Amino acid sequence: PKLPYLDKTVVKRLLLLLHILLLPALRLSAQANDPEVDTVLFIFEQNPGDEKWILKKAKDDRYLQVHYYRHDTLRWQYPALADTTSWNAFTFRGYRRNGGIENEGLTEHSLEFTRHDTLYRFTEWTSAREEGRTLELLLRIGENETTFPGKTDEKLGSLMIFEEFSDLLPNRYWPE
């Protein structure tokens, strides 16, 4: 069968459209795991190999992003644009009471963001009385909430590290 004639203008427009549609996906894939550019700060893993959220920042602190993986495939990143405004898309809350068991020492840190009307809140607790850490992810859509426990033995990093970035991500634990 003879192929229909396509003029050069139509071909150029189709190639441009294809480029526009594929470029974000290619950029997302290239940026997703570049150790030269990104530093992993925290990993929340519900079930190894199933669902995973990775909080990353640029080595030069230019941006902060969360990457969501399902079955080791990157599904989305938030915010989509990796620039200096990305830090404003997150809310950090951190509290620390030192003193060991006799002073009920504890820490509580959380990081949250909202994507497509869904609130995501990662929370990490430690207690001097109860050894170890507790991790959870809260998802809220409207009035509905679901909480997922995190694998503490599989995690990398700690939400406590965000205390170091107070100039970019202020601690909102205490009301202003």
Side-chain angles (χ1 to χ4, degrees), residues 39-138:
T39 300
V40 173
L41 299 174
F42 180 78
I43 295 175
F44 182 92
E45 197 165 7
Q46 187 178 350
N47 288 313
D50 190 24
E51 291 185 282
K52 182 174 9 182
W53 289 261
I54 300 178
L55 294 162
K56 300 179 178 186
K57 72 169 193 69
K59 285 196 183 288
D60 63 2
D61 298 340
R62 191 173 65 255
Y63 59 82
L64 175 66
Q65 283 186 315
V66 61
H67 293 221
Y68 169 68
Y69 294 83
R70 184 170 177 93
H71 303 295
D72 293 325
T73 301
L74 180 63
R75 299 300 177 133
W76 52 260
Q77 66 185 28
Y78 178 84
L81 184 61
D83 67 7
T84 55
T85 65
S86 65
W87 290 88
N88 299 328
F90 296 89
T91 301
F92 170 70
R93 291 180 180 87
Y95 173 76
R96 194 187 312 201
R97 183 173 62 221
N98 297 323
I101 293 173
E102 62 278 354
N103 197 34
E104 298 287 330
L106 62 91
T107 65
E108 178 182 336
H109 295 86
S110 68
L111 187 75
E112 69 182 50
F113 63 94
T114 301
R115 179 182 179 270
H116 300 308
D117 298 324
T118 302
L119 172 81
Y120 296 79
R121 180 183 300 139
F122 301 96
T123 305
E124 174 182 29
W125 294 275
T126 63
S127 168
R129 189 167 299 283
E130 300 167 20
E131 291 186 22
R133 287 195 162 107
T134 303
L135 293 173
E136 75 175 28
L137 169 60
L138 175 123

Side-chain angles (χ1 to χ4, degrees), residues 160-176:
M160 193 180 305
I161 196 166
F162 289 102
E163 291 179 352
E164 298 175 20
F165 302 103
S166 60
D167 54 327
L168 297 166
L169 189 62
N171 187 343
R172 305 279 184 220
Y173 187 84
W174 306 106
E176 295 180 20

